[in-house]
Amino acid sequence: MTDLPLHLGAARRHPAGGLDAAGLRAAIAESFRKLAPRQAMRSPVMAVVLLGTLLSALITIAASADKAFGIAVTATLFVTVLFANFAEAVAEARGRGQAASLRAARRDLVGRRLDDAGNETRVAASELRAGDRVLVSAGEFVPADGEIERGVATINEAAVTGESAPVLREAGTDRSGVIGGTKVLSDEIVVRVSAEPGGSFLDRMIALVEGANRQKTPNEIALTMLLAAMTLTFLVVCVTLPFLAGFVGVKLDPLLLIALLVCLIPTTIGGLLPAIGIAGMNRALKANVLAKSGKAVEVAGDVDVLLLDKTGTITHGDRQATAFHPLGGIDREQLRDAALLSSLADPTPEGKSIVRLARELRSRVEDPQQATFVSFSAQTRMSGVDVGARSIRKGASDAIARHVRALGGVVSPELDARVEQVARGGATPLVVADGKHVLGVIELSDVVKHGVKERFARLREMGIRTVMITGDNPLTAAAIAAEAGVDDFIAEARPEDKLARIRAEQAAGHLIAMVGDGTNDAPALAQADVGVAMNSGTQAAKEAGNMVDLDNDPAKLLAVVEVGKQQLITRGALTTFSLANDVSKYFAILPAMFAAALPSMASLNVMRLASPNSAVLSALVFNALIIPALIPLALKGVRFKPASAVALLRRNMLVYGLGGVLLPFVGIKAIDLLLAAIGV
Amino acid sequence: MIEILLVFAAAIALGWPLGLYLARVMRGDASRLDVVFDPLERLAYRALGTDPRRGMSWKGYARAFVVSNVVLGALVWLQFMTQAWLPLNPDGAPNMRWDLALHTMVSFLTNTNQQHYSGQAQLSYLSQMVGIVGLQVITPMMGLAMVVATLRGLFGGRDAQARHADGERAPTQVPIERDLGNYWVDLTRATLRFMLPLCLVWSVLLTSQGVPATLERGPTVTPIDASAELKQQHIPLGPVAPMVAVKQLGTNGGGWYGPNSAMPLENPTPFSNALEVLAIVLIPVAVTFMAGRFVRRRRFAALVFGSMLLMSVASTGLGVWSEGHSASAHDIALMEGKEVRFGADASALWATLTTQTSNGSVDAMHDSLAPLTGGIAIVDMLVNAIWGGIGCGLMQFLVYLLLAVFLAGLMTGRTPELFGRKIEAPEVRLLALLILLQPIVVLGFTAIALSFPSITANSNPGFHGVSQVFYEYVSAFANNGSGFEGLGDGTYWWNLSCTLVLILGRYPALIVPLAIAGQMARKKVAPESAGTLHVETPTFALTLVAVIVILTVLQFMPALVLGPVAEHLSLAVS
């Protein structure tokens, strides 16, 4: 096991429907297995077709005068059921392909468990329990899900994400989570196991991908109900028809009635519905987002407010110190050195960039002895260092002002002017204080990502509002918000602000999606309608969200929304198509039914089909063939271009509604010509 | 042609202000007329024992609706069976047999007015004036009340817009989002302030044209047409004008005389004919305008009115074409049963309007319409929401709206919602019930009746016989009431089977949408955005009409093909 397969990437390499020969054979075998009554009863539409097949077989054997025709009808009906099963099997098979390679990543993992005294024991991964601590060194696989307790390491997560570029994981940060089956490339870490065997991320992922216990989504249930009602309706139509016809002296062939019934009931959507659902989750997975349920994907299509952290989503997130602005009476070196001291032990990128800037400006301050680093907390919104009696703090301007006043110092009005000047430029001002004296402002600049503005404009077209969350002060936030084109922002946000905002938006009827990674994001992720946790994030965040983004790309939310919408559109479009098809099938079958007894009905045969038998067969064959023909569409989803709802409706009604009425006229006629040519 | 345009123009010109007035009445707005109506209403509320400020949940509202129907129904049924012993019976009409009385009562209670009797011979003046006309006035207002409550539900309960500004509510109120209004108040206000005054105007106008309005026994005369070989003829009279006014205005259709408005005494002059045609569509058109004002969305009225007008123009146009110009229209046999005073065009206009509105009055026997016109009349009744009956038409339209939103909503990439409220499995289950009920009842009974021709007493074999039976049940289920005639329909079979169909056509269609609205009222409202499917757009309106047409065609194509279409083809060939 030197190199793990890029299994999710594998799915990416094959476009929709792509299965190799072996996969195809397996799917075909599975289509037959799904004929078992318990499986078949899951879809009311296809259950009726299956019953129709049996009935038509019985009639052909027992009564039919025209055996060849009876056999042809029965065979076509049977193939219709198989095609529907095949659609579901193909969708499942693609998921299973992904699961198989995931399993490869799970097997044979061994971990070095540490006891309280720090002694190592080699144990199989299956024996590790939550709370155990394991040591993992460079070149080894992480044996189980957990969080890094000590150390920092680069890790190859290709086994899970398909992305081979190594990622950095570090204790005590929001990127402390590691996943079982991934490979440590450098350094050594101590991991506290967080999942029981069988309950790991990988295990759950395999179960989801296989769709083993796939639940129907709420909308799918509603649609199934509607399709069942339509099926029953057409059953009533076909059962009563012989009595109406009997009154005018026409005796109807039961085979034709079965054919009419199967043509009328919505077999196309009935056969493809499960595949659409499975494919939706697979498409999310292809975008490297693991949805914990189909429902989450469905809800994503409905989201109308996106809460986005500024950092990493809208801006590149590595805010860099670019300048020191001392207040009047303070010399530049004094500010530079104080800023450097306060940041020497600061692990954040900002802290490191301050050190770097100060060194570039030739600061020669040595690492002090006896220094206590005060780390940043969301409550104080300051960090700093205590060296002997000296206490240096840096942080947001209001936090520092409060801190200085609390110590009895004064905050000169000049500070506000400096802060505002920096903020207005879209940069983040960080104020430095030495004891009760304010020294000046560090300017941290952040860069808005390329193309973000266009993306938000597209979202706005779809009726989705974006809200940026940032810890910056209102001025900085406003400048970045304007540059990025977000609709709204929350400045100086604390974790509880996110939660409050989500609740407020929900109370106004909105559906909210948000992205988060830190433990303090967990409540907000749980509260949001769609919570996407970063895979690199803490275990708590991953538990709270209903999706996990394997790529740690906060902008992934946009892809998730599109997958959700696409899934709903595909369902609606194929339902419309399926029902619209019925019009032409009536024109094929009704004249054929009455042709012998009522010659005047021939004028309804607008397609000029060759004979009653070939008319019925053509309609049935079309009805069967349209299922496999639409499998790629069901798996890939209807093309989705962000536009207003009315524009989408217009386009889809024209393509699938009007197209659904017209296409079968052409299709049935073509099949009829073909049948006539081969002499049926 | 000009007459047709005039009727549409007049209906819109009068229906608009009438609809706005009706919206004020149903919203309970203060008005200058309160001086007159308030005391009357207070009296009514005291008699009914209801606190007018107290709202009802959908269940309470539906219960009140059912109770009012059961009580009224029992009283009228009893009256019909005992009319010979009651006063005001100068022509000596006998007591009605129980099954005919039951059918007649249910037929009028359901705002259908299907008649298996001949009014002038089988009902006393008292039965006509109290039983028949009473129900004709009140039942359309029941339908109106039900749809108004449903609209309240779809928009979040009574006064949802004025949630915080309301200090006057009784303390024992049901919560706002469950409060769909007070059934008794809605019914009383609509009847007193809207229906009765309008009927009064119409009956005065009709009386001026010579429609009888008397309590005297009719005269006995000697016919001048000797070929009829009648020495003496009794001319039945009575308080005809008020009944004709209300049967036309209230989407009722049940006339004083058997031949309905084809009879000169019900419809003596061209002006009376114009008045009566206008009255067929007037209130149904007004209701579409009411809907928009009632929910404070002008565009909603545009959606309802626009979609209905589109379907109405198409149906009327096709009807007039088929009656005058289709291949089967010139068969001489078709003139039998038509009033020569009106001719083909006016007969077709009336026939299509009366079936579009669930009215059911006729000025020509539909049995004699060209086969395709008969087919169009059947389709009108199957859709039952091209204007539709007062209240029930809009109600059926809302059902189609929910259905279309479910399909169209998916195609816009969101789980479907109407006015910000999600349509989910429980609502779809109820909708599915309504979709299923129509074919089960109509096709089921048609199949049974056609399988036993001995009980159907068909006057026509063949395709026309299929049309007759199918029409009868479609008409009963649509609560239309017009008849194809030619059926021996005074039998136990017809009386009882139609009674059942009438009930199944009326009550689920009014109560189930109310239940859906009751559920939707309690749902969270999503604010509208660019991603929301706006139903009040031409794109959606066309989608809606397509859904209505396709659904109806798919369900009933075989029956239509075996009836009207086959008859047309056989006539056209021969």
Side-chain angles (χ1 to χ4, degrees):
Chain A
M1 242 169 66
T2 51
D3 202 28
L4 285 165
L6 308 182
H7 43 84
L8 295 184
R12 225 170 309 172
R13 279 198 300 272
H14 293 291
L19 278 182
D20 53 16
L24 207 63
R25 271 198 301 278
I28 291 170
E30 186 63 25
S31 316
F32 282 91
R33 265 196 293 282
K34 283 177 188 291
L35 290 171
R38 246 193 47 202
Q39 281 266 2
M41 291 313 287
R42 279 174 58 117
S43 158
V45 182
M46 294 323 290
V48 169
V49 182
L50 193 56
L51 286 179
T53 312
L54 294 178
L55 208 59
S56 116
L58 285 179
I59 292 168
T60 306
I61 294 165
S64 178
D66 187 348
K67 292 271 187 233
F69 179 63
I71 290 167
V73 168
T74 310
T76 315
L77 294 180
F78 186 59
V79 168
T80 311
V81 182
L82 284 182
F83 279 157
N85 289 347
F86 179 69
E88 191 175 345
V90 168
E92 285 173 354
R94 298 172 78 219
R96 208 167 297 118
Q98 297 169 336
S101 39
L102 282 175
R103 272 213 196 81
R106 190 178 55 178
R107 63 168 185 239
D108 302 338
L109 289 174
V110 176
R112 287 185 284 158
R113 184 162 62 194
L114 298 174
D115 62 16
D116 292 339
N119 302 319
E120 287 180 28
T121 338
R122 287 185 73 85
V123 293
S126 58
E127 285 172 29
L128 289 170
R129 295 286 177 276
D132 286 351
R133 291 158 68 238
V134 288
L135 187 68
V136 193
S137 307
E140 290 178 333
F141 288 98
V142 178
D145 291 5
E147 289 199 46
I148 302 178
E149 204 172 70
R150 203 179 68 227
V152 51
T154 46
I155 294 178
N156 182 347
E157 290 189 344
V160 180
T161 65
E163 182 60 61
S164 54
V167 292
L168 191 73
R169 295 285 177 262
E170 190 171 355
T173 66
D174 279 345
R175 295 176 191 78
S176 61
V178 289
I179 300 171
T182 57
K183 189 178 188 180
V184 175
L185 297 179
S186 73
D187 305 284
E188 187 175 73
I189 47 176
V190 176
V191 174
R192 179 175 289 275
V193 176
S194 61
E196 296 291 342
S200 77
F201 190 67
L202 219 53
D203 293 319
R204 273 182 298 162
M205 200 155 144
I206 290 167
L208 280 167
V209 169
E210 283 187 322
N213 39 11
R214 197 178 79 87
Q215 302 273 318
K216 281 186 182 165
T217 64
N219 175 263
E220 213 178 329
I221 292 172
L223 186 57
T224 306
M225 215 173 286
L226 190 70
L227 295 180
M230 291 311 293
T231 306
L232 269 176
T233 296
F234 291 127
L235 197 62
V236 171
V237 170
C238 291
V239 167
T240 53
L241 188 54
F243 299 98
L244 269 65
F247 184 78
V248 291
V250 178
K251 217 175 130 23
L252 294 181
D253 184 345
L255 266 182
L256 294 192
L257 274 175
I258 294 171
L260 178 63
L261 175 65
V262 170
C263 278
L264 291 180
I265 62 176
T267 45
T268 312
I269 179 67
L272 293 173
L273 194 56
I276 295 172
I278 298 168
M281 297 208 21
N282 285 349
R283 272 204 307 281
L285 203 54
K286 233 189 317 175
N288 267 356
V289 173
L290 176 62
K292 292 192 187 164
S293 70
K295 190 182 167 191
V297 177
E298 196 172 288
V299 174
D302 281 354
V303 159
D304 60 349
V305 176
L306 294 190
L307 242 52
L308 300 164
D309 268 324
K310 183 194 78 174
T311 312
T313 314
I314 296 168
T315 63
H316 283 290
D318 42 354
R319 288 187 300 188
Q320 308 280 321
T322 48
F324 297 117
H325 302 282
L327 293 187
I330 311 283
D331 59 316
R332 192 169 293 270
E333 284 68 35
Q334 192 183 347
L335 172 62
R336 180 196 69 191
D337 293 346
L340 174 70
L341 266 178
S342 71
S343 306
L344 276 172
D346 183 348
T348 64
E350 289 91 342
K352 286 175 184 156
S353 81
I354 293 173
V355 173
R356 197 161 49 241
L357 181 68
R359 292 286 185 218
E360 275 168 19
L361 295 173
R362 298 198 195 86
S363 173
R364 303 202 184 285
V365 176
E366 296 292 318
D367 278 21
Q369 308 293 316
Q370 304 289 314
T372 332
F373 180 66
V374 181
S375 66
F376 180 86
S377 88
Q379 300 309 320
T380 62
R381 293 171 45 233
M382 294 188 301
S383 65
V385 69
D386 291 334
V387 188
R390 218 174 146 200
S391 114
I392 305 174
R393 289 290 180 276
K394 67 174 195 292
S397 75
D398 59 331
I400 294 289
R402 206 172 328 117
H403 165 75
V404 167
R405 286 203 194 91
L407 293 175
V410 261
V411 181
S412 89
E414 193 201 345
L415 177 66
D416 284 345
R418 283 283 182 195
V419 164
E420 207 178 307
Q421 179 199 344
V422 170
R424 197 161 285 151
T428 308
L430 211 55
V431 179
V432 182
D434 192 346
K436 56 182 184 176
H437 303 290
V438 179
L439 301 179
V441 180
I442 309 172
E443 180 175 334
L444 296 175
S445 298
D446 199 353
V447 189
V448 172
K449 282 186 177 174
H450 184 69
V452 161
K453 192 163 190 165
E454 290 72 24
R455 247 194 193 144
F456 291 149
R458 269 173 51 185
L459 285 172
R460 204 167 301 116
E461 266 177 57
M462 285 153 52
I464 298 175
R465 206 151 44 84
T466 42
V467 179
M468 178 181 86
I469 306 167
T470 170
D472 297 339
N473 66 58
L475 278 173
T476 314
I480 293 176
E483 196 185 337
V486 293
D487 297 285
D488 198 0
F489 62 86
I490 316 175
E492 293 176 348
R494 291 157 303 158
E496 55 264 39
D497 291 340
K498 287 186 198 176
L499 190 58
R501 178 62 178 251
I502 291 174
R503 291 212 169 112
E505 296 276 5
Q506 282 173 335
H510 293 286
L511 283 175
I512 323 296
M514 81 158 275
V515 175
D517 51 5
T519 301
N520 56 24
D521 283 335
L525 281 171
Q527 178 72 32
D529 300 283
V530 174
V532 182
M534 297 292 106
N535 184 35
S536 59
T538 59
Q539 200 62 32
K542 281 197 271 187
E543 291 294 335
N546 45 17
M547 292 191 194
V548 178
D549 175 18
L550 303 173
D551 289 344
N552 310 318
D553 172 9
K556 195 59 76 53
L557 214 44
L558 312 186
V560 172
V561 168
E562 293 201 355
V563 168
K565 284 194 179 294
Q566 224 182 4
Q567 188 186 345
L568 290 170
I569 294 177
T570 309
R571 247 182 238 155
L574 291 184
T575 306
T576 307
F577 183 80
S578 197
L579 290 177
N581 273 196
D582 285 2
V583 176
S584 56
K585 291 175 192 161
Y586 264 132
F587 278 101
I589 296 185
L590 280 185
M593 253 178 166
F594 301 129
L598 312 169
S600 59
M601 290 282 190
S603 57
L604 288 183
N605 182 6
V606 291
M607 285 177 270
R608 303 272 158 253
L609 302 178
S611 72
N613 279 3
S614 85
V616 172
L617 271 183
S618 306
L620 274 180
V621 168
F622 178 84
N623 192 50
L625 284 182
I626 199 73
I627 296 177
L630 289 176
I631 289 179
L633 185 72
L635 296 186
K636 207 169 66 184
V638 167
R639 194 165 65 87
F640 174 73
K641 237 177 66 192
S644 72
V646 169
L648 283 172
L649 176 62
R650 193 177 308 131
R651 180 179 173 275
N652 289 322
M653 270 305 279
L654 281 177
V655 175
Y656 298 97
L658 196 61
V661 172
L662 298 180
L663 176 73
F665 279 104
V666 180
I668 291 174
K669 178 70 187 169
I671 295 169
D672 180 70
L673 288 175
L674 210 67
L675 288 180
I678 59 171
V680 175
Chain B
M1 196 61 206
I2 291 174
E3 187 198 348
I4 297 170
L5 292 178
L6 276 179
V7 167
F8 275 100
I12 294 165
L14 284 177
W16 190 34
L18 213 54
L20 301 190
Y21 168 69
L22 185 56
R24 292 175 57 87
V25 170
M26 299 319 286
R27 279 209 315 241
D29 293 353
S31 134
R32 259 172 289 169
L33 299 171
D34 287 348
V35 195
V36 185
F37 291 114
D38 270 356
L40 289 173
E41 282 163 10
R42 269 199 297 278
L43 213 63
Y45 300 149
R46 202 164 314 142
L48 291 165
T50 187
D51 174 358
R53 288 173 307 169
R54 210 186 153 92
M56 296 170 171
S57 67
W58 80 261
K59 281 182 185 153
Y61 205 96
R63 203 177 303 124
F65 169 65
V66 171
V67 166
S68 66
N69 275 265
V70 168
V71 170
L72 278 178
L75 288 175
V76 172
W77 190 18
L78 202 66
Q79 186 195 14
F80 289 164
M81 288 191 294
T82 58
Q83 61 178 358
W85 308 321
L86 297 173
L88 276 179
N89 189 11
D91 286 332
N95 290 337
M96 259 187 176
R97 202 172 74 189
W98 71 271
D99 60 309
L100 183 59
L102 177 70
H103 174 264
T104 307
M105 176 277 284
V106 170
S107 161
F108 281 84
L109 190 65
T110 54
N111 190 227
T112 309
N113 297 204
Q114 193 173 46
Q115 292 164 299
H116 289 171
Y117 66 94
S118 230
Q120 73 275 21
Q122 285 171 278
L123 285 178
S124 72
Y125 285 7
L126 187 74
S127 295
Q128 297 265 38
M129 284 166 62
V130 178
I132 300 287
V133 175
L135 290 181
Q136 283 183 326
V137 171
I138 200 110
T139 56
M141 295 302 104
M142 288 173 169
L144 184 67
M146 292 295 277
V147 83
V148 158
T150 303
L151 284 177
R152 288 187 186 119
L154 291 179
F155 285 89
R158 179 158 66 156
D159 299 332
Q161 290 100 330
R163 240 153 225 246
H164 304 292
D166 197 351
E168 267 189 75
R169 306 173 66 86
T172 53
Q173 273 293 358
V174 277
I176 289 176
E177 69 276 13
R178 290 170 193 248
D179 177 0
L180 301 189
N182 182 314
Y183 173 72
W184 305 110
V185 172
D186 289 337
L187 189 59
T188 310
R189 285 179 69 92
T191 309
L192 282 182
R193 290 173 187 247
F194 181 76
M195 194 63 190
L196 284 176
L198 200 60
C199 288
L200 190 67
V201 173
W202 238 259
S203 75
V204 168
L205 286 173
L206 286 174
T207 311
S208 78
Q209 295 302 302
V211 180
T214 175
L215 290 179
E216 299 291 310
R217 183 175 198 277
T220 305
V221 297
T222 310
I224 46 173
D225 182 4
S227 66
E229 294 176 3
L230 267 178
K231 290 239 160 43
Q232 297 269 291
Q233 188 182 3
H234 173 65
I235 308 290
L237 296 179
V240 180
M243 177 165 176
V244 173
V246 69
K247 77 145 173 156
Q248 294 303 102
L249 283 167
T251 58
N252 286 297
W256 187 278
Y257 300 103
N260 211 291
S261 284
M263 162 82 177
L265 286 177
E266 274 198 32
N267 190 5
T269 67
F271 183 58
S272 76
N273 191 55
L275 276 177
E276 290 179 23
V277 177
L278 173 60
I280 292 177
V281 287
L282 181 60
I283 301 185
V285 169
V287 166
T288 64
F289 293 114
M290 178 216 70
R293 178 59 68 94
F294 184 76
V295 302
R296 294 180 172 87
R297 280 173 87 109
R298 195 174 299 188
R299 292 173 63 90
F300 181 59
L303 168 75
V304 180
F305 175 77
S307 314
M308 288 184 174
L309 184 67
L310 180 66
M311 293 189 282
S312 177
V313 166
S315 146
T316 308
L318 279 173
V320 171
W321 166 80
S322 112
E323 199 59 29
H325 310 282
S326 68
S328 58
H330 301 295
D331 197 292
I332 193 67
L334 292 181
M335 209 51 208
E336 183 234 41
K338 259 182 224 143
E339 172 67 9
V340 283
R341 289 184 296 151
F342 305 130
D345 281 6
S347 299
L349 173 64
W350 190 304
T352 48
L353 287 185
T354 199
T355 45
Q356 286 166 19
T357 56
S358 178
N359 185 300
S361 65
V362 294
D363 75 347
M365 295 303 107
H366 287 189
D367 200 29
S368 306
L369 294 173
L372 288 185
T373 320
I376 289 160
I378 292 177
V379 171
D380 285 345
M381 292 189 291
L382 287 171
V383 171
N384 211 19
I386 315 177
W387 311 122
I390 296 175
C392 355
L394 182 55
M395 199 70 129
Q396 184 64 37
F397 187 85
L398 292 176
V399 170
Y400 289 130
L401 181 62
L402 285 163
L403 202 62
V405 163
F406 186 81
L407 283 179
L410 284 179
M411 280 192 285
T412 65
R414 305 212 354 183
T415 55
E417 61 192 30
L418 180 61
F419 305 126
R421 293 176 167 80
K422 292 232 173 293
I423 303 171
E424 290 161 308
E427 290 78 44
V428 172
R429 184 179 299 126
L430 291 172
L431 283 175
L433 188 80
L434 282 181
I435 297 175
L436 261 176
L437 193 62
Q438 191 186 26
I440 288 180
V441 171
V442 171
L443 292 176
F445 273 102
T446 304
I448 296 171
L450 286 175
S451 310
F452 304 98
S454 55
I455 51 170
T456 62
N458 254 344
S459 66
N460 281 289
F463 308 124
H464 195 72
V466 175
S467 296
Q468 282 180 324
V469 173
F470 186 47
Y471 191 105
E472 185 76 1
Y473 286 116
V474 170
S475 167
F477 190 84
N479 293 160
N480 182 284
S482 63
F484 232 31
E485 304 311 327
L487 294 171
D489 56 13
T491 63
Y492 283 112
W493 165 258
W494 284 111
N495 284 338
L496 298 181
S497 71
C498 284
T499 299
L500 191 62
V501 175
L502 289 168
I503 291 172
L504 289 172
R506 170 85 168 176
Y507 296 98
L510 286 180
I511 294 172
V512 171
L514 182 72
I516 293 175
Q519 289 174 2
M520 304 247 313
R522 296 202 291 272
K523 293 193 184 193
K524 213 166 75 167
V525 197
E528 293 186 18
S529 72
T532 316
L533 171 61
H534 294 275
V535 296
E536 293 127 335
T537 52
T539 301
F540 180 80
L542 283 177
T543 306
L544 173 63
V545 171
V547 167
I548 294 175
V549 172
I550 297 252
L551 186 71
T552 309
V553 165
L554 291 189
Q555 290 183 326
F556 299 101
M557 178 101 145
L560 289 168
V561 163
L562 274 181
V565 174
E567 190 187 354
H568 167 80
L569 290 174
S570 62
L571 279 183
V573 167
S574 65

